[in-house]
Amino acid sequence: MNTFSRNVLGAAVGAVVLVLGGVAHAADTVKIAVAGPTTGPVAQYGDMQMMGAQMAVEQINAKGGVDGKKLEAVIMDDVCEPKQAVAVANQIVNDKIKYVVGHLCSGSTQPASKLYEEEGILMITPAATNPAITQQGYQMVFRTIGTDDQQGPTAGKYIATTIKPKKLAILHDKQQYGEGIAKEVDKTVKAAGIKPVLFEGVSKGQTDFSALITKMKKEGVDFVYYGGYHPELGLLLRQSREQGFDAKYMGPEGVGNKDISAIAGPASEGLLVTLPADFSTDPANANLVKAFKDKGQDPTGPFVMPSYSAVQIIVDAIQGAKTEDPVKLADYIRKHSFQTPIGKVAFKENGDLKEFEFVIFEWHADATKTPVKQ
Amino acid sequence: MRRALPEALLAAMLTAVLAVPIFGLRIHVDGIDVSLDRTLTPVVVAVVIVFLLRLFQGPLRAVWTRTRPPAAWRNPLADVLRRTRQQPRYRALLWMLLLIAAVIWPFTASRGAVDVMTLALIYVMLGLGLNIVVGFAGLLVLGYAAFYAVGAYTYALLAQHYGLSFWLSLPVAGVLAALTGFLLGLPVLRLRGDYLAIVTLGFGEITRLLLNNLNVLTGGPDGIGNIPRPTLFGLEFGRRASEGNATFHEFFDIDYSGEHAVIFLYLLGLALVVLILFVINRLQRMPLGRAWEALREDEIACRSLGLNPTVIKLSALTLSAAFAGLAGAFFAARQGYINPESFTFIESAMVLAIVVLGGMGSQLGVMLAAIAITALPELAREFNEYRMLAFGLVMVLMMIWRPQGLVPATRPRLELPERAEPTP
Amino acid sequence: MSGSPLLEFIQQTINGLTLGSIYALIAIGYTMVYGIIGMINFAHGEIYMIGAYVGLLVITVLGLFGVDSISLILLATLAVSILVTGSYGWAVERLAYRPLRGSPRLVPLISAIGVSIFLQNYVQLGQGARDVSMQPVLVGGWRFGPEDGFQVYLSYMQVLIALITVVSMTVLTLFISRSRMGRACRACSQDRAMANLLGIDTDRVIALTFVLGAALAAVAGVLVSMYYGLVNPFIGFIAGLKAFTAAVLGGIGSIPGAMLGGVVLGLAESFASAYLRTEYKDVVAFALLIGVLLVRPSGLLGRPDVEKV
């Protein structure tokens, strides 16, 4: 690099420092970084996270903020990529932000969490469900969502005790979330004595499942558990019904949203889904739900309320422990329980929620759902 | 002007046809309801702009040629480079200064910036590596991320199963990646240019799919986590050290700061880059480097001169893969967690873009391009949505306006200084 | 309900042929462009994706206006999509490739990769990164087989796809072999410099090639959006890669080769998914590609190339 380019680079870096310095000077706000995908293919889930967090910030500020200081949400985009997540984490450390609500994708949360742990930054993820994140022995990492090894067994038990299929197939999308949960279901049903006839993965983004459906049809499968998200399952459902494959399907919360009825249409009738209990139907949250609807926002997304709750927990902890030090807050959070839109929550030693209930719903073609007796 | 009017109308109509369906009418799906949003303003603006530009194409072009700066002015970079090249000692001094500046810089810069530069250094390594096979030997390889992945997973697995440290795993990663390159090259390198490109593309994809599917070996989509950071003679850079080791900050009796790790990683990356540059420079001046160039220029002439093209291609690919392996191990060490998502075709395409945009065969150009591609999007984070859009656009524009790259390659050579004409 | 292996085989063959038809339609675009200017048009997959989006858009618009007739919907969608997508094909050639004619091989390739990334993100900005879905327009089909056993299902849409593919291929083949412009295309792909000397406007021929390829990709896109009912900005990449594999498999530069390659690939994927594991269907596709290239680089129907000095 010669002098010319070196000067350019130096100027660029200088600009970065100046900008960041400017940001860091607003020291009488309490900043919470909200890290997740705001662009890219899973941005719709990131939107839920941002929505929940921002509503929490607004409402808390309307009530006077945090001990008189204003709360500020700093949104950072990690595009659901580990590389970007690490860069975002470093940026957060750089900006001396002490609390993070994020990330969203398990693959992003894992490397970022290591950094937060080392730097003593409090992290609460409202959406990453891979169990490995809280198995690293970290002190600063918490979750306001269930994990795959809570959701999987719920489904597995239901299949084993209520459905009792003759031939069970378990499918997944070869991604961290989908395959993780499929493996949990597999473990649970095997422990109950049911052996799936098929355990296979499809590709993310696959649109043609005809060969797989034909295979299942030939095997005489009568129940299918799918670990993954709604785009693939929606197509699976639709193509299954077209081919005359009538097995019942079940999926995790990644499929339980309106879009699956848009894709599968009438084929989505009768789909079983495990979801966090629908917090938006909880009467205690009626005002909050109204607040969202007034802004034209949809509070039923699975990550909205957990995200809101994460912010609230941080604020409640600051006010309760009378300190802003993240390490002390982490301690405080571990020892206390909090009243949040997702219910009364308390945390285990490793940062997971002590209880997180997954409820089984039956999905309908008009995108509504009804709970099923478990 | 008369002639321009129908052309301009046609261009405007074409713009409308292109923009309205994709940009103007947006399909909005809300559960089971489908509706159409209309955003026609940007479309109208675009149509009008295109119409006007086409209409006044003639006069605009005249203005452009008249006010364009003279040719010699336009590229101060090339001028400075040309002057320095003519004096090897001056050039060596410049590189020295550059190196010193690069070493001192992280201590004065913000942590975020150093971290971004470390990522840039990884792409520099990848770019330099790919440059050997694409730039020097002229072979189009589209699956470079496969070797990158081999290096990363080698270190991750060695650390996970055998507890090997980074320093021990690094050469192993390089060797394994080189071996992969060699084994791929044996059957494949006799194929002609485009076919080679396709096969390497297929190989890259197969590697990624296998990494994703072979859960028992590679952790599948979960990837491998808890990859340890490199240590400095056994000193770890964490807040607390693991069993039996000391930490860096305790050893030197200073306060713990996360910056130490970041700076250390940066310096380590810098060292790897210098190593790679050194190796390549030496090789370039050896018969092997000349052979690469001969191959690129004309394979058949090469063969008729008695050089075995397959051996030359193999050497280029193997070495190139080795460097990718080193970069991969370093990447795994930096991130602490890897999964197959980091080794997609887009990664290969980006590294290829770095090599071509920098100037094939030119190491300085490749380094500049790598830093630009990594650092610039970080500076403009608010425009993240447009980041990839701009990237694609820049790629096309660079090819149209300056296909030889930022810094066109020159062969290492010695030029006799200018001398006054001897008087008869 | 378990079924006879023969019926299952028939069903998987139907699945494979349907998939293969789509690949074939897209593959032709790759092969024609390569045949005439020796360039791998990386952006072709995105052209197909745009065709699918436009198809979805037209069907949505027609649906909002309450149009019911299947044939009208089909014709209108095909017509509009071919027009718009063809325009995109033309524009991309004119703006991103023509200025680079004559450059070393890597330069237009990088430009193509740039165009591909640009188009993908452009559509993302315009239509969002989320999936856009649509209820199927044409439902129903025939069932064969024992009433209580495994029944083979052949949907109307699948027949339509096969039909339209065959018609498109026939029209294209007739055009290339019988018409004047078609002759010019063939001449240009054999020896462009000579064709130029003989007075053929090579620029126009090349532009036409791109437009034809884009038109077929548009047909594939419309069929896909009607058949699967799901599009997003990323379908172009996967389909493009597969279709490209098909083109190479059949012999790049050869149009019948592209058709054959598409069908072979579709069948291979279906059978791999059925008789092996679904995870490996993509691996099989790429392995097939590499295998063919190693054993017979010119592909199934291509002419072995002799490099002259």
Side-chain angles (χ1 to χ4, degrees):
Chain A
M1 214 191 308
N2 69 354
T3 35
F4 172 72
S5 351
R6 197 157 23 107
N7 283 336
V8 169
L9 191 63
V13 171
V16 170
V17 173
L18 278 175
V19 167
L20 296 179
V23 168
H25 269 305
D28 34 6
T29 58
V30 174
K31 296 216 194 92
I32 299 184
V34 187
T38 56
T39 60
V42 291
Q44 69 205 78
Y45 296 110
D47 285 343
M48 294 177 197
Q49 181 192 2
M50 304 306 161
M51 206 163 52
Q54 275 171 322
M55 176 64 80
V57 167
E58 270 170 33
Q59 294 200 332
I60 291 174
N61 278 338
K63 287 196 223 139
V66 185
D67 291 334
K69 291 196 211 163
K70 278 234 168 298
L71 196 62
E72 186 186 331
V74 181
I75 303 211
M76 314 207 71
D77 182 16
D78 71 354
V79 201
C80 195
E81 274 176 25
K83 262 200 321 266
Q84 292 291 325
V86 169
V88 161
N90 270 302
Q91 187 80 313
I92 290 174
V93 173
N94 220 16
D95 295 351
K96 300 210 184 1
I97 300 179
K98 298 187 265 206
Y99 324 105
V100 178
V101 170
H103 294 234
L104 189 108
C105 299
S106 299
S108 306
T109 311
Q110 220 167 330
S113 62
K114 179 170 165 174
L115 214 64
Y116 299 137
E117 173 74 11
E118 279 179 2
E119 294 299 316
I121 293 178
L122 181 65
M123 182 193 101
I124 304 184
T125 171
T129 55
N130 194 296
I133 293 170
T134 45
Q135 287 166 355
Q136 303 176 90
Y138 290 164
Q139 303 290 313
M140 308 297 296
V141 165
F142 295 89
R143 256 199 258 252
T144 49
I145 189 111
T147 57
D148 294 338
D149 53 10
Q150 286 165 326
Q151 193 174 171
T154 308
K157 260 191 283 236
Y158 185 77
I159 295 176
T161 53
T162 313
I163 306 274
K164 295 206 253 270
K166 289 193 215 62
K167 297 211 174 151
L168 173 69
I170 300 185
L171 305 173
H172 59 89
D173 63 357
K174 294 195 297 191
Q175 302 289 303
Q176 198 171 23
Y177 169 69
E179 193 169 345
I181 224 175
K183 284 201 283 221
E184 289 295 330
V185 172
D186 187 50
K187 223 169 27 180
T188 313
V189 298
K190 280 204 176 115
I194 301 183
K195 188 168 178 318
V197 300
L198 212 72
F199 186 91
E200 287 197 6
V202 300
S203 307
K204 187 170 83 118
Q206 188 172 335
T207 46
D208 191 299
F209 299 96
S210 44
L212 179 61
I213 292 169
T214 305
K215 187 149 77 157
M216 291 195 288
K217 196 164 123 175
K218 190 204 80 154
E219 292 288 334
V221 170
D222 59 333
F223 195 84
V224 182
Y225 185 86
Y226 177 77
Y229 295 100
H230 63 271
E232 290 79 21
L233 183 59
L235 289 173
L236 253 177
L237 280 170
R238 189 162 125 172
Q239 291 171 17
S240 293
R241 301 304 174 238
E242 270 174 22
Q243 268 206 41
F245 177 57
D246 290 324
K248 224 164 151 71
Y249 276 80
M250 185 170 189
E253 104 251 13
V255 312
N257 61 69
K258 294 181 300 187
D259 289 345
I260 200 159
S261 297
I263 301 172
S268 64
E269 181 71 42
L271 170 71
L272 294 172
V273 187
T274 49
L275 285 169
D278 190 350
F279 307 115
S280 59
T281 57
D282 188 343
N285 291 332
N287 281 335
L288 183 57
V289 171
K290 184 168 177 309
F292 277 113
K293 295 225 167 104
D294 285 343
K295 282 175 102 183
Q297 289 175 341
D298 172 22
T300 61
F303 309 124
V304 180
M305 298 299 189
S307 184
Y308 185 104
S309 308
V311 175
Q312 188 173 333
I313 290 172
I314 295 175
V315 170
D316 286 350
I318 293 177
Q319 290 176 319
K322 306 219 189 327
T323 170
E324 285 183 26
D325 176 43
V327 181
K328 297 208 183 86
L329 287 179
D331 234 17
Y332 181 89
I333 291 176
R334 208 169 272 114
K335 297 198 175 85
H336 291 80
S337 60
F338 302 83
Q339 189 65 39
T340 67
I342 60 174
K344 199 164 161 76
V345 303
F347 293 93
K348 291 197 253 200
E349 187 63 34
N350 67 353
D352 280 335
L353 290 170
K354 276 211 179 117
E355 293 169 357
F356 194 81
E357 202 197 348
F358 282 99
V359 176
I360 299 183
F361 288 88
E362 182 169 340
W363 202 265
H364 302 294
D366 60 354
T368 57
K369 56 187 186 280
T370 49
V372 153
K373 287 268 173 301
Q374 264 164 272
Chain B
M1 191 77 157
R2 274 296 150 96
R3 241 181 315 136
L5 188 61
E7 264 183 32
L9 279 173
L10 208 61
M13 256 186 3
L14 185 66
T15 312
V17 166
L18 292 183
V20 166
I22 301 291
F23 229 86
L25 296 171
R26 186 184 176 132
I27 306 175
H28 186 77
V29 178
D30 184 25
I32 44 178
D33 301 315
V34 182
S35 55
L36 280 175
D37 293 334
R38 274 197 294 264
T39 38
L40 289 175
T41 328
V43 175
V44 170
V45 168
V47 170
V48 167
I49 290 180
V50 168
F51 178 72
L52 290 175
L53 278 179
R54 267 319 225 148
L55 197 62
F56 299 110
Q57 204 182 16
L60 277 177
R61 196 167 284 179
V63 170
W64 171 245
T65 32
R66 241 176 288 140
T67 59
R68 207 161 54 172
W73 205 77
R74 253 181 306 147
N75 200 343
L77 200 79
D79 285 342
V80 173
L81 280 174
R82 213 180 312 129
R83 259 180 275 131
T84 56
R85 275 200 182 117
Q86 290 176 347
Q87 295 187 310
R89 226 177 303 158
Y90 185 32
R91 189 176 51 189
L93 185 64
L94 207 63
W95 279 104
M96 260 303 125
L97 281 178
L98 199 66
L99 187 62
I100 295 175
V103 169
I104 296 181
W105 175 74
F107 295 96
T108 64
S110 80
R111 176 197 177 126
V114 176
D115 184 65
V116 168
M117 274 312 277
T118 311
L119 187 63
L121 285 175
I122 294 180
Y123 281 101
V124 168
M125 283 187 243
L126 288 171
L128 289 175
L130 188 62
N131 194 26
I132 298 176
V133 72
V134 170
F136 294 154
L139 304 169
L140 183 53
V141 168
L142 290 180
Y144 199 55
F147 309 122
Y148 186 37
V150 166
Y153 270 88
T154 303
Y155 174 45
L157 288 171
L158 285 177
Q160 190 185 58
H161 292 296
Y162 302 109
L164 284 186
S165 81
F166 176 74
W167 300 103
L168 287 177
S169 308
L170 188 66
V172 179
V175 166
L176 269 185
L179 191 65
T180 314
F182 182 77
L183 290 174
L184 174 70
L186 274 179
V188 148
L189 281 173
R190 55 189 166 82
L191 290 175
R192 216 189 56 191
D194 291 336
Y195 295 133
L196 176 68
I198 302 159
V199 170
T200 54
L201 176 63
F203 177 70
E205 279 301 290
I206 289 184
T207 305
R208 183 182 61 83
L209 289 169
L210 286 178
L211 286 175
N212 208 17
N213 288 349
L214 299 175
N215 290 19
V216 174
L217 198 65
T218 65
D222 279 347
I224 303 180
N226 279 326
I227 304 175
R229 280 221 201 86
T231 60
L232 180 65
F233 299 116
L235 294 174
E236 290 186 13
F237 279 88
R239 203 182 278 265
R240 295 167 285 265
S242 48
E243 296 293 310
N245 288 351
T247 60
F248 178 76
H249 67 100
E250 278 165 20
F251 189 81
F252 286 101
D253 210 18
I254 44 182
D255 285 330
Y256 172 75
S257 160
E259 299 215 355
H260 301 153
V262 175
I263 295 179
F264 176 60
L265 271 174
Y266 168 85
L267 291 174
L268 183 57
L270 195 62
L272 282 174
V273 167
V274 168
L275 173 71
I276 292 179
L277 274 176
F278 178 71
V279 170
I280 295 180
N281 261 314
R282 289 289 103 206
L283 283 175
Q284 240 186 323
R285 284 159 176 72
M286 282 169 52
L288 186 60
R290 296 293 185 184
W292 288 338
E293 254 183 274
L295 185 74
R296 181 184 71 208
E297 296 300 321
D298 192 335
E299 182 174 333
I300 295 181
C302 210
R303 196 178 297 178
S304 60
L305 283 175
L307 296 168
N308 185 345
T310 312
V311 167
I312 301 173
K313 288 183 190 175
L314 259 181
S315 66
L317 186 61
T318 309
L319 194 64
S320 182
F323 289 150
L326 295 181
F330 181 66
F331 170 72
R334 170 186 176 268
Q335 204 162 269
Y337 165 79
I338 54 173
N339 66 5
E341 288 301 302
S342 308
F343 307 109
T344 58
F345 170 70
I346 295 287
E347 284 297 305
S348 302
M350 280 197 57
V351 181
L352 183 65
I354 287 175
V355 170
V356 176
L357 290 177
M360 284 183 275
S362 153
Q363 296 180 223
L364 183 59
V366 166
M367 293 199 309
L368 280 180
I371 294 172
I373 284 189
T374 320
L376 284 179
E378 291 301 317
L379 299 178
R381 264 189 163 254
E382 316 87 68
F383 299 110
N384 215 2
E385 268 191 4
Y386 306 99
R387 181 172 63 134
M388 288 309 277
L389 192 77
F391 181 56
L393 193 62
V394 164
M395 276 174 85
V396 177
L397 290 177
M398 274 295 283
M399 287 301 105
I400 295 179
W401 285 335
R402 201 179 162 80
Q404 65 269 46
L406 283 175
V407 181
T410 52
R411 288 201 192 83
R413 58 176 183 229
L414 209 56
E415 264 186 28
L416 297 173
E418 299 258 330
R419 217 172 46 166
E421 283 289 309
T423 49
Chain C
M1 174 174 67
S2 46
S4 86
L6 176 64
L7 286 181
E8 188 202 354
F9 179 75
I10 293 178
Q11 179 75 74
Q12 296 290 20
T13 310
I14 294 177
N15 297 337
L17 286 176
T18 311
L19 198 59
S21 307
I22 305 286
Y23 289 152
L25 284 170
I26 308 174
I28 291 187
Y30 280 113
T31 221
M32 288 202 331
V33 165
Y34 189 86
I36 204 164
I37 50 174
M39 176 196 151
I40 304 173
N41 181 10
F42 249 96
H44 192 57
E46 266 57 53
I47 300 283
Y48 149 79
M49 180 262 295
I50 289 177
Y53 263 97
V54 175
L56 207 63
L57 188 78
V58 174
I59 296 179
T60 307
V61 167
L62 290 177
L64 286 178
F65 279 107
V67 178
D68 256 357
S69 142
I70 301 269
S71 24
L72 186 61
I73 292 179
L74 191 66
L75 282 171
T77 312
L78 281 174
V80 174
S81 188
I82 288 179
L83 175 68
V84 175
T85 313
S87 309
Y88 268 99
W90 186 88
V92 164
E93 193 273 326
R94 184 67 189 78
L95 295 173
Y97 302 151
R98 192 183 296 187
L100 301 176
R101 210 135 344 124
S103 312
R105 208 189 356 245
L106 263 184
V107 173
L109 188 74
I110 298 287
S111 182
I113 297 180
V115 172
S116 165
I117 296 177
F118 179 79
L119 284 177
Q120 223 184 69
N121 284 275
Y122 165 69
V123 174
Q124 250 190 71
L125 280 175
Q127 296 286 343
R130 302 171 59 158
D131 296 310
V132 180
S133 61
M134 176 182 82
Q135 284 312 297
V137 177
L138 185 59
V139 289
W142 295 288
R143 292 176 201 275
F144 311 96
E147 196 51 55
D148 57 338
F150 180 91
Q151 289 193 316
V152 171
Y153 177 68
L154 178 66
S155 76
Y156 299 137
M157 197 63 215
Q158 281 174 323
V159 174
L160 190 66
I161 289 178
L163 216 64
I164 292 188
T165 306
V166 168
V167 166
S168 310
M169 304 288 192
T170 317
V171 167
L172 181 72
T173 313
L174 283 176
F175 174 76
I176 296 280
S177 56
R178 299 285 171 85
S179 79
R180 196 140 171 242
M181 226 17 195
R183 254 206 310 278
C185 284
R186 274 184 288 148
C188 284
S189 72
Q190 277 186 9
D191 189 337
R192 205 165 84 224
M194 196 59 185
N196 212 356
L197 284 175
L198 287 174
I200 296 179
D201 183 351
T202 45
D203 277 349
R204 190 181 283 193
V205 169
I206 293 175
L208 180 67
T209 309
F210 272 85
V211 170
L212 283 178
L216 286 174
V219 172
V222 166
L223 290 175
V224 157
S225 66
M226 286 178 73
Y227 183 49
Y228 297 115
L230 187 77
V231 296
N232 60 53
F234 312 105
I235 58 174
F237 176 66
I238 308 163
L241 212 55
K242 298 266 181 76
F244 182 56
T245 305
V248 172
L249 194 57
I252 197 146
S254 152
I255 293 181
M259 301 185 206
L260 182 64
V263 167
V264 168
L265 186 66
L267 287 172
E269 263 192 46
S270 249
F271 291 140
S273 195
Y275 299 113
L276 300 174
R277 293 172 63 87
T278 316
E279 288 95 318
Y280 287 101
K281 74 171 166 57
D282 290 338
V283 176
V284 162
F286 290 120
L288 189 64
L289 171 71
I290 294 183
V292 164
L293 279 179
L294 287 181
V295 168
R296 194 185 155 84
S298 46
L300 293 169
L301 292 185
R303 294 175 303 275
D305 249 328
V306 178
E307 204 174 338
K308 299 208 182 77
V309 204

